[in-house]
Amino acid sequence: MGKLREPLSELATCGLPSALEVMGERWSFLILRAAFNGLVHFEEFSSELGIARNILSNRLSRLVENGVMRRSPCEHDRRKIEYRLTEKGHDLLPAMLALRQWGEKYGENVSPELVLVDAEKGQPISPISIHAADGRELGWHDLAWKARDEVGKDGKGEGC
Amino acid sequence: MGKLREPLSELATCGLPSALEVMGERWSFLILRAAFNGLVHFEEFSSELGIARNILSNRLSRLVENGVMRRSPCEHDRRKIEYRLTEKGHDLLPAMLALRQWGEKYGENVSPELVLVDAEKGQPISPISIHAADGRELGWHDLAWKARDEVGKDGKGEGC
DNA sequence: GAAAAGGGTTGCGAAACAAAACTCATAAAT
DNA sequence: ATTTATGAGTTTTGTTTCGCAACCCTTTTC
């Protein structure tokens, strides 16, 4: 450990603040989860989540603004509106599952009856984790920082 | 798609709300990132993050309460206190990286100079994603729910 | 044409957040 | 030994955000 001191101010420009700006507010992740589970209408989100209507309205707008969801009026019933995940929204699935798995591992009274499985084989998915390009699983101490413009030169960094 | 309607109320008991209760407040994830980068002292977090002192104090307390960080007085300088990640805290790394990668993929002006690499080979880590037990990469449509007490029986679910 | 459903907006009190000043214990400097 | 500085907080005082209830407007249903 150590050796990670100098890059710190540099790290301020990493993707995390940017991600949190979009998904960091209360409810955003729960709305996302509901969307993954097939909910599309305002009233569905409202009654599933028990969130206040003005906040829900605000969050949906923000998610749409940020390209995570798409808002489209319903054809056959023009009172209704559909909120659906975009590609960008679908790309949040790993982050959401990682968070969720962590919550399940450590949460107090969390032992869900239902489990996510690989639909083809019926086996539970494996815990989300970090992998090297060649597939080896990595922990924090197996990682190092490297300047973007010189990846793939030496080897044997000293990890953290 | 479809077929995910009935489990919904059941899903309320998944790990996500529990995870968000611990990590869902403003700053929690950024404090975590700073901790991963080796910061340990109150003043370090304070000056790195630019967060108000009372909020930082509150967040650190909460993270300690929830077992994400450990608080220990410094031996050789008893003014100082060290905040370090616990095992539980380290286990948040995949979630944090997934979020971060998403932010880097879609964020406006985010193209960090430094990149996380596999320390051994010097190659960038692969994007965090979802894998079946046998290693196949999975998307949302390859997933299905299954009752916990009967995993590993049929196969060929219809995905979502 | 009245009632209900869907998707919001408005107004207001409660809670969370932020900025600055203040405390208190320890450590360093003189 | 006294002063000064540091580290880690608390307190005080505003400012946003949240949450609830009520209201509004449009489209459907009866």
Side-chain angles (χ1 to χ4, degrees):
Chain A
M1 225 187 238
K3 155 67 184 331
L4 225 21
R5 199 50 28 93
E6 195 224 4
L8 279 176
S9 39
E10 194 53 62
L11 287 178
T13 72
C14 89
L16 195 60
S18 148
L20 291 173
E21 212 158 305
V22 178
M23 297 304 298
E25 289 164 307
R26 198 165 294 182
W27 295 111
S28 298
F29 260 105
L30 292 171
I31 291 173
L32 188 84
R33 183 193 63 170
F36 268 113
N37 286 326
L39 303 205
V40 291
H41 296 297
F42 190 95
E43 298 292 340
E44 289 178 314
F45 289 109
S46 173
S47 65
E48 167 73 11
L49 299 175
I51 178 179
R53 305 173 68 78
N54 55 345
I55 305 299
L56 176 57
S57 174
N58 177 289
R59 289 301 178 277
L60 287 172
S61 303
R62 262 183 68 79
L63 290 173
V64 169
E65 265 177 42
N66 287 298
V68 171
M69 297 185 97
R70 181 191 339 283
R71 184 197 129 112
S72 51
C74 237
E75 296 298 297
H76 50 292
D77 184 345
R78 264 171 341 214
R79 292 171 303 179
K80 291 190 184 174
I81 292 207
E82 290 186 351
Y83 290 95
R84 294 184 180 283
L85 292 171
T86 60
E87 173 92 16
K88 184 173 176 180
H90 278 99
D91 278 355
L92 276 166
L93 184 59
M96 198 194 66
L97 284 185
L99 215 44
R100 195 187 142 124
Q101 288 176 350
W102 184 84
E104 264 154 39
K105 179 167 180 185
Y106 290 107
E108 296 296 282
N109 30 26
V110 182
S111 55
E113 293 307 299
L114 293 170
V115 143
L116 265 184
V117 299
D118 163 16
E120 192 174 324
K121 297 281 178 56
Q123 293 292 63
I125 62 176
S126 50
I128 290 189
S129 54
I130 302 159
H131 294 271
D134 57 27
R136 285 169 12 262
E137 189 170 331
L138 303 174
W140 177 242
H141 294 292
D142 305 318
L143 302 177
W145 294 106
K146 200 170 202 175
R148 188 186 39 190
D149 47 315
E150 46 171 292
V151 291
K153 290 185 175 168
D154 75 80
K156 222 47 190 170
E158 62 281 87
C160 185
Chain B
M1 225 186 242
K3 157 64 182 334
L4 226 20
R5 200 49 30 94
E6 195 223 5
L8 279 177
S9 38
E10 194 54 62
L11 287 178
T13 73
C14 88
L16 194 59
S18 149
L20 291 173
E21 212 158 305
V22 178
M23 297 304 298
E25 289 163 308
R26 199 165 295 183
W27 295 110
S28 298
F29 260 105
L30 292 172
I31 290 172
L32 188 84
R33 183 193 62 169
F36 267 113
N37 286 325
L39 303 205
V40 292
H41 296 298
F42 189 94
E43 298 292 340
E44 290 178 314
F45 289 109
S46 174
S47 66
E48 166 74 11
L49 299 176
I51 178 178
R53 305 173 69 78
N54 54 348
I55 305 297
L56 175 57
S57 174
N58 177 289
R59 288 302 177 278
L60 286 172
S61 302
R62 262 183 67 79
L63 289 172
V64 169
E65 266 177 42
N66 287 298
V68 171
M69 298 184 99
R70 180 192 341 282
R71 184 198 128 112
S72 52
C74 236
E75 296 297 298
H76 52 291
D77 184 345
R78 252 138 29 175
R79 293 170 300 180
K80 291 190 183 173
I81 291 205
E82 290 186 352
Y83 290 95
R84 292 185 181 283
L85 292 171
T86 60
E87 172 93 16
K88 183 172 175 180
H90 279 100
D91 278 354
L92 275 166
L93 183 59
M96 198 194 67
L97 284 185
L99 215 44
R100 195 186 142 123
Q101 288 176 350
W102 184 84
E104 264 154 39
K105 177 167 181 184
Y106 289 107
E108 296 297 282
N109 30 25
V110 182
S111 56
E113 292 307 298
L114 291 170
V115 141
L116 265 184
V117 299
D118 163 17
E120 191 174 325
K121 297 281 178 54
Q123 293 291 61
I125 62 175
S126 50
I128 290 188
S129 54
I130 302 158
H131 295 271
D134 58 28
R136 286 170 8 261
E137 190 170 330
L138 303 173
W140 177 243
H141 293 293
D142 305 318
L143 301 177
W145 294 106
K146 201 169 200 177
R148 187 187 39 189
D149 47 316
E150 46 172 292
V151 290
K153 290 184 176 169
D154 75 79
K156 223 45 191 172
E158 62 280 87
C160 183

